Structure formats: structure tokens, C-alpha cells
Amino acid sequence: MPNSRSANAVRLEFAPGSLVQSNLSAAAFTDNWLWVAGDEACGVDRLRQLDPVGDESLRFGEVRDFPLAALLDLPGDADEEADIEGMAVADGFLWVVGSHGLKRKNTKAGRSHADNAKRLARVTLDANRRLLARLPIEPDEQGAPPLVRRARDGRKAQRLKGDAEANLLTRALADDPHFGPYMAIPGKDNGFDVEGLAVCGNRLLLGLRGPVLRGWSALLEIEVDTCDDELRLAPLDDDGTLVRKHFLQLEGLGVRDLNFAGDDLYILAGPTMVLDGEVRLFKWTGARAALAGNREPVTFGDALGAALAGSLIESTSLPHGRGTNKAEAICELPPALSAGTTRWLVLYDAPGEDRRDGAQAVFGDLLQRD
């Protein structure tokens, strides 16, 4: 179990009262600075590398919070959760994506049957959840990398055009034969739920936790460009395709996170909806080249055979608990922290007591790539 004596333990120290430490859902690195986000907040936290404790591999702390409302004109209130589920650093930007999904009220202990029945029937949309944005990273005089609304070189914080009800992505999928029917279903009911993000230039891959269709998990490929200070969807081909769909056989698991490593794509996959169960890390070998060479609007691949001229290979199973220790975020360590070996940081939502140290510190895992 991860603790101060574990060689693979990575300690994250948060400020008192932080919500993020108990619902970590996204992570990315800028050199030896770690960016994280939680799915119950509307901001991004930056942690600095600190000296490790005992035999721990790495330690991060001295958190600084960057509220999204200070960087973007959000469709919702400043304190309304964005449910950030994916994050990536590319070309001087920190990219973030919200779940885009609806949510259903849960029952509460001590309430009457009638009251809980009403709660369970209530479906809502937090306006900030339908967020896809890029935020400029600009080093300050001390060499730290804050997020800024506008960088000195002209880069701006921008989000995909949309409002409190929809954005260009959800509108493009509204009549889609695979995902259109699921846009009105809450994410935790196997509805539409974005939980992974990988970036290659202006091309983005969005991993879906749901829906999983007859065991097929999905990645959505889009391209964005800038128009009137906003991000817009750009056609992927001469036919005007705005969204390509890549269906993968991940043994019924939904996507929890994505990360490019060279030409390969690593896919963190776990149970859909609110189920507990095995969490696995898959590798799509040659994914970057395969995606660049693909022109089909819909593709299929499986873990045992070809996938767009690449292949999916199960890499490893990750620890999980019952209602706790849910692996939600994975990112590759930068060279300065990897000691010459390709290594990964895995962070967990709902950390159990084995992943806590007091009220402010939680532990992730350090994995080594084969």
C-alpha cells in the first residue's frame, strides 16, 4: 500500500480544505511542475516538486490555484463545477476538457422514499461542464509557470464556442447515430461522458467513459482553430467531417484518461457508470501515425488485433478498491523526473485511507513503462 515508505509512492500535498485532493481527475506536467484538477471544482491546481519524504519517489506541494473564471468567460457561475476530466500540455498551452455530461441527483440517507424518488428523477446540467479550452502557460520572473489570460506573445485563453446549454461539439453530435441518443442521458447512467484528452497540434482525441456500446469504447477525434477569439471545430477532411469516431474493444471498460508517448497512445480504462472493478492500462502502438494516415469517419479496432494499422496491447492492471482508489488520471513524467526511464504518474479519485497521510496529503503511484 502506498505510504511514506513505498518506493513507488508519489506524495501530493494540498492546502487545508482543498476539494481537489479527494477527487483528482486529470494531470499533466510542465517540466517539474505538476498540474492537477478535480471533478468537483472550477479551477486548476499547480504543484511544485519538493524534496521527497523517506523512500518516496516524488513529492509535490506548495499548491497554487488558478480559477477558470479568472482566465475564461465561462458560461456558468464562477464557482459552478466544470467537472474537468482531461488535461494535456502542448505548444505552451494547458488544455482542459469537462465531462460535457448531464448529472442525476442521488438519494440521501434520512430522506423519505418520496423525496428520494424526486431526487433520483431530477436531471440537470452544470453550464461549465461543457468546456473545452486551452490556457496559455507563461513563465514568470522566478521561472514558475502560471496560467495567464493573455500571454506577452499574443496567445490567449480560449474555449470552444458555446453557451450554458451546448457547445459546438455537443451540437455536432446531437444527430449522431451512435452518440446523439446518449446526449440526454446522465454520464453515470452510461450517458455521454468525456474523461480523457490527448493533444497533437490542433488535433484532439477525447476519450469517452460512456456510452460503451455493446462493449465498444470510443475515442472522438476533432480539430480546432481560432475564430473571433474562440475555438471552433475545423473540418477534418474535404467532406466536412467534424468528428471522427474510433471504436475500440477494451473488454467493456470505458476510457478514463489518454496520454501520447511518442507514437503510442496509452489508454487508462475502467468501469462505466458508478461500478467498481478492474482498471487497466492499454497501449495503442503506432497510434499517432495511424491516426494521421486515416481518412475513414468511423473505425474499429480490438485489443487482440489490428486497430487502424496499429495494435492495442494490454499493458498492466492497476490497483482499485470498492468505492475508493479509482484511477482517473495518468501522465508521463518529463525527462527531468524520469531518471532515464519512461515512467508514469497515476492519480486516484476517492483515495482510501491507504492513500492518505493526514488531512492534506494523498498518494499516487509511479509506474514504469515496459
Side-chain angles (χ1 to χ4, degrees), residues 83-307:
D83 198 18
I84 295 175
E85 296 286 359
M87 184 183 292
V89 171
D91 302 322
F93 287 99
L94 178 69
W95 291 81
V96 296
V97 65
S99 68
H100 281 67
L102 302 176
K103 64 180 186 180
R104 184 184 300 278
K105 284 282 189 179
N106 203 353
T107 61
K108 281 192 174 182
R111 299 289 184 95
S112 68
H113 294 304
D115 190 16
N116 275 329
K118 291 179 181 178
R119 289 180 60 83
L120 199 60
R122 187 180 177 192
V123 174
T124 59
L125 170 65
D126 290 335
N128 291 336
R129 284 181 166 225
R130 294 190 165 170
L131 175 71
L132 174 61
R134 62 181 187 182
L135 311 168
I137 304 170
E138 184 169 65
D140 60 21
E141 294 179 356
Q142 289 73 43
L147 299 175
V148 297
R149 193 176 185 106
R150 186 184 182 98
R152 290 185 294 271
D153 61 8
R155 289 174 297 126
K156 304 174 186 176
Q158 299 166 306
R159 65 178 176 88
L160 190 66
K161 180 178 174 60
D163 53 33
E165 297 296 327
N167 65 12
L168 294 181
L169 176 62
T170 60
R171 292 189 178 110
L173 293 171
D175 296 323
D176 183 85
H178 298 110
F179 302 114
Y182 291 87
M183 303 305 292
I185 299 175
K188 287 185 170 57
D189 295 348
N190 198 40
F192 189 77
D193 189 2
V194 177
E195 287 218 6
L197 172 66
V199 178
C200 181
N202 286 336
R203 290 282 178 104
L204 311 180
L205 285 179
L206 306 176
L208 301 188
R209 179 177 179 175
V212 173
L213 306 177
R214 287 299 297 264
W216 291 97
S217 306
L219 307 181
L220 304 181
E221 179 185 355
I222 61 174
E223 183 169 334
V224 297
D225 61 15
T226 301
C227 181
D228 298 330
D229 292 334
E230 296 177 303
L231 297 178
R232 304 289 182 100
L233 293 183
L236 293 163
D237 53 37
D238 293 338
D239 295 327
T241 303
L242 294 178
V243 182
R244 285 195 181 123
K245 298 174 286 187
H246 306 296
F247 289 101
L248 307 175
Q249 274 292 347
L250 304 180
E251 301 186 12
L253 302 177
V255 177
R256 294 299 182 88
D257 206 0
L258 301 172
N259 197 282
F260 272 119
D263 288 335
D264 303 332
L265 179 69
Y266 281 76
I267 304 169
L268 183 66
T272 60
M273 301 187 290
V274 294
L275 300 173
D276 290 317
E278 190 169 11
V279 178
R280 299 181 184 178
L281 182 63
F282 293 88
K283 180 175 71 172
W284 180 353
T285 304
R288 194 185 295 269
L291 290 165
N294 174 62
R295 296 295 180 268
E296 297 291 336
V298 183
T299 61
F300 289 84
D302 60 64
L304 302 176

